[in-house]
Amino acid sequence: MGVQSEAKRYAGKVVRRLGRAYPDATCSLDFGNPLELLVATILSAQCTDQRVNVVTKKLFAKYPSAADYARAPARQLERDIQSTGFFRNKAKSIRACCEALAGDHQGEVPRDIEVLVGLPGVGRKTANVVLGTAYGIASGVVVDTHVARISRRLGLSSEKSAEKIERDLMEQVPRKEWIALSHRMIQHGRRVCTARRPACDGCPLESVCPRMGVERNDSRDH
Ligand code: SF4
């Protein structure tokens, strides 16, 4: 068996085990339409999803359309999202992105990754979240800090940059698994394979995982 198919076989095992462990894993950001998910994802940088959900409850009612964000005075929008942190940059991104949506896309969030990443403030991660979760389009694999860490520990990638890790995952995992895989890895990263203390004892991947970069005493019971 070639190196490539060996890697795919291993990735298949990981995907199946994560699927059994987290069958219902989904996005933990609240949203009612693609625009809301786009805004929530921008706000979620360096912030917990719970905090974002508290803020967006009022925000979505106040700004129902892309044009509403585009028209909002900068200071006002900054105040509305302040508690998510980095609010100046986030407000700037949301306004610039919504200006482009309102001006060039009839206020709709495009369904195309190339178009999406061309919007101000939207990177591949945000674009993949929106396309995968709001539209069900498998454009790539969302690589956040959890997915990056777990991919390395599992030996699915030895890369550091999110883009290269994503490329490795896309090569090894079939497209139909991409959307669910991100959600499942994120849940696994929050519950079991945490940054500081991965709970390897009892982890559903324990018997296949090479634990790359994990010190034995990192995985104490907790
Ligand atoms: S065995 Fe340990 S390092 Fe590997 S995925 Fe599980 S918790 Fe993470």
Side-chain angles (χ1 to χ4, degrees):
M1 189 176 288
V3 176
Q4 192 54 26
S5 46
E6 192 73 55
K8 283 189 180 163
R9 218 163 63 96
Y10 170 65
K13 256 188 216 169
V14 169
V15 165
R16 277 193 299 279
R17 286 180 188 219
L18 284 172
R20 281 200 294 270
Y22 309 102
D24 304 320
T26 184
C27 181
S28 49
L29 293 168
D30 293 338
F31 68 97
N33 58 49
L35 175 69
E36 291 185 355
L37 183 57
L38 176 60
V39 170
T41 308
I42 293 173
L43 293 177
S44 71
Q46 312 286 323
C47 182
T48 64
D49 290 355
Q50 288 97 313
R51 162 78 10 220
V52 173
N53 290 340
V54 169
V55 169
T56 54
K57 215 173 178 171
K58 282 189 191 155
L59 194 75
F60 293 161
K62 187 169 176 184
Y63 304 96
S65 73
D68 293 316
Y69 288 105
R71 273 196 299 263
R75 296 286 167 272
Q76 183 59 57
L77 185 57
E78 285 174 5
R79 271 198 295 278
D80 291 335
I81 63 167
Q82 190 158 8
S83 66
T84 68
F86 302 96
F87 57 92
R88 290 212 174 84
N89 276 340
K90 289 179 183 175
K92 209 168 148 192
S93 293
I94 292 170
R95 286 175 78 242
C97 170
C98 286
E99 243 169 58
L101 291 180
D104 306 331
H105 302 279
Q106 294 84 45
E108 297 288 318
V109 177
R111 293 164 177 264
D112 182 304
I113 184 129
E114 299 309 327
V115 181
L116 265 175
V117 296
L119 295 170
V122 178
R124 255 197 93 84
K125 191 186 98 180
T126 300
N128 279 330
V129 169
V130 173
L131 289 172
T133 302
Y135 288 132
I137 297 171
S139 51
V141 182
V142 174
V143 178
D144 73 346
T145 164
H146 296 294
V147 176
R149 179 178 72 250
I150 294 168
S151 299
R152 284 194 297 268
R153 285 177 177 169
L154 282 166
L156 293 170
S157 180
S158 54
E159 299 289 351
K160 285 213 169 71
S161 84
E163 235 163 80
K164 289 182 180 165
I165 294 169
E166 185 187 357
R167 188 203 55 202
D168 286 344
L169 293 174
M170 288 166 78
E171 268 169 27
Q172 295 169 76
V173 175
R175 181 182 282 263
K176 65 178 173 36
E177 305 287 351
W178 290 353
I179 299 173
L181 177 66
S182 317
H183 294 315
R184 288 169 179 159
M185 275 190 161
I186 292 167
Q187 211 164 96
H188 187 58
R190 286 179 177 150
R191 292 187 186 172
V192 179
C193 193
T194 59
R196 293 228 187 132
R197 283 191 185 186
C200 299
D201 292 339
C203 167
L205 297 164
E206 191 190 6
S207 62
V208 293
C209 178
R211 305 189 203 182
M212 304 295 279
V214 176
E215 300 285 336
R216 288 289 145 173
N217 60 2
D218 277 353
S219 56
R220 293 169 294 224
D221 288 337
H222 64 112

